[in-house]
Amino acid sequence: MTVVLLDPVRPTMVPAEAIEFLSGVVQFTEEVPVRTRWLFSGTAHGDGSAEVLVSTDLSNPDVQERIRHGERVIASPKLPGDDLIAAVVLMDRLRTIGGWEAQQTHVSLSGYLLEETYELLDAIHSGNLVDLREELGDILLQVLFHSRIAQDAAENSFDVDDVAAGLVAKLTHRTPHLTDGSTGPIDVAAQEKAWEEKKASEKARGSCLDGVALAQPALALTQKVVSRAKKAGLPDELVPEELRVVHIGDDHSHGGESAEDLLRRNVLDFAQRVRGAETSAQVHGAQPGKLTAIEWIENWGRR
């Protein structure tokens, strides 16, 4: 007597060791999809007379009864990512039958994404792994939700598999050590160098600031803009003092402008000057992304 437990996510995939027991008449629990039952040669009546019981639910009373009697259990192995697949299936169902979920758009969810991101950062800083796991789940929900919404788009639609495939392709391309036969730990400097080179080959950027998200908080934006510019060869002396020090005053400081808004205005002005210098240098024959310190200085302030 044997119980064969199929994966509820992949009910048509049968464990190899169970095949020899499935050539005759078998019995199914009610959870097994009809399309799966059609794959078998015969079906017994639900009186427990068949020697083999096929199910997708370990908690089913018939399954538990057979286990109590000591019957052999052959189960599909649990694979990494199985619960992710279950989450994708659940998200699809929510989008299909959920009234609120069906009405959401990328824009309407953007506020939730921002809030969940800050909550994740709080969990990271707290060091509480229980909170961290929960907040990562909330971020995963956002990824699944946006991917499912995009699946319904009239043009340029995609689904969560396209997102995952794009990520795999990017990581594989930018980390050649994954496919060049390397077996030991990768040298960090070599890995970073390869990453930047591969990234540059993917995207022909006219400015070192292309791709910087301008909507991020002003302090993070400033750090990113200055880092990108200096990595592109900008001399440290060209970074203005107002980007190095943030002054926190009362409501009447800076004409009533908040420190956040003031810093954002200053960094956006700095970013414009960086782009202006790059454009001017290229007009005078400099190679994009390869400006020397002298070229930065000579073209600084030009448009």
Side-chain angles (χ1 to χ4, degrees):
M1 305 287 279
T2 304
V3 175
V4 176
L5 286 173
L6 303 178
D7 185 342
V9 178
R10 308 180 187 88
T12 59
M13 298 180 65
V14 177
E17 59 267 34
I19 293 177
E20 63 176 295
F21 302 101
L22 300 174
S23 58
V25 176
V26 299
Q27 180 184 346
F28 300 93
T29 59
E30 61 271 17
E31 298 86 7
V32 179
V34 173
R35 70 179 187 278
T36 301
R37 303 184 191 197
W38 288 345
L39 301 176
F40 295 86
S41 57
T43 304
H45 297 291
D47 55 5
S49 60
E51 291 193 359
V52 179
L53 175 65
V54 177
S55 180
T56 57
D57 183 10
L58 178 62
S59 64
N60 182 280
D62 292 337
V63 172
Q64 289 297 311
E65 179 67 19
R66 291 205 176 203
I67 291 176
R68 279 194 294 270
H69 283 81
E71 294 191 21
R72 168 180 17 199
V73 177
I74 301 176
S76 296
K78 183 176 177 62
L79 301 175
D82 277 352
D83 289 327
L84 283 176
I85 295 175
V88 171
V89 173
L90 178 59
M91 185 69 255
D92 181 69
R93 182 163 173 76
L94 285 171
R95 178 68 171 175
T96 303
I97 69 172
W100 183 84
E101 289 83 359
Q103 295 176 358
Q104 300 312 303
T105 66
H106 296 301
V107 175
S108 69
L109 290 179
S110 59
Y112 296 104
L113 176 58
L114 184 61
E115 181 180 356
E116 298 296 356
T117 300
Y118 282 122
E119 290 179 2
L120 174 61
L121 290 173
D122 283 345
I124 291 173
H125 295 150
S126 73
N128 188 318
L129 293 182
V130 175
D131 290 346
L132 179 60
R133 180 179 64 180
E134 179 180 353
E135 298 305 334
L136 285 171
D138 290 339
I139 293 294
L140 176 61
L141 171 60
Q142 294 295 312
V143 174
L144 298 179
F145 211 153
H146 281 280
S147 298
R148 182 58 185 83
I149 291 173
Q151 194 173 329
D152 296 330
E155 297 181 2
N156 300 319
S157 63
F158 62 84
D159 59 20
V160 70
D161 283 327
D162 296 317
V163 174
L167 176 61
V168 170
K170 176 189 291 185
L171 293 178
T172 303
H173 181 251
R174 295 186 184 179
T175 313
H177 305 82
L178 293 173
T179 55
D180 67 0
S182 299
T183 57
I186 303 172
D187 178 73
V188 175
Q191 184 179 10
E192 290 180 344
K193 182 175 183 294
W195 180 278
E196 292 300 329
E197 290 175 348
K198 294 293 185 178
K199 182 177 180 180
S201 69
E202 293 170 2
K203 301 177 180 180
R205 287 176 168 168
S207 170
C208 64
L209 301 184
D210 286 352
V212 174
L214 299 180
Q216 60 186 300
L219 190 58
L221 176 61
T222 300
Q223 185 174 10
K224 189 68 174 180
V225 167
V226 171
S227 174
R228 280 280 193 94
K230 294 178 72 172
K231 187 176 292 186
L234 182 82
D236 185 70
E237 64 202 69
L238 294 181
V239 179
E241 183 66 18
E242 58 264 27
L243 298 187
R244 300 177 186 273
V245 179
V246 178
H247 296 281
I248 307 297
D250 56 31
D251 292 339
H252 302 290
S253 301
H254 315 299
E257 191 173 27
S258 69
E260 167 80 12
D261 291 340
L262 177 62
L263 181 59
R264 178 174 299 279
R265 178 164 57 82
N266 288 336
V267 71
L268 291 178
D269 179 68
F270 174 74
Q272 189 174 18
R273 298 188 73 183
V274 168
R275 291 181 181 276
E278 289 175 318
T279 300
S280 175
Q282 290 172 31
V283 169
H284 291 85
Q287 290 183 284
K290 296 183 178 181
L291 273 65
T292 66
I294 296 298
E295 288 172 327
W296 276 111
I297 294 172
E298 290 178 344
N299 292 279
W300 194 248
R302 295 181 179 177
R303 302 293 182 181

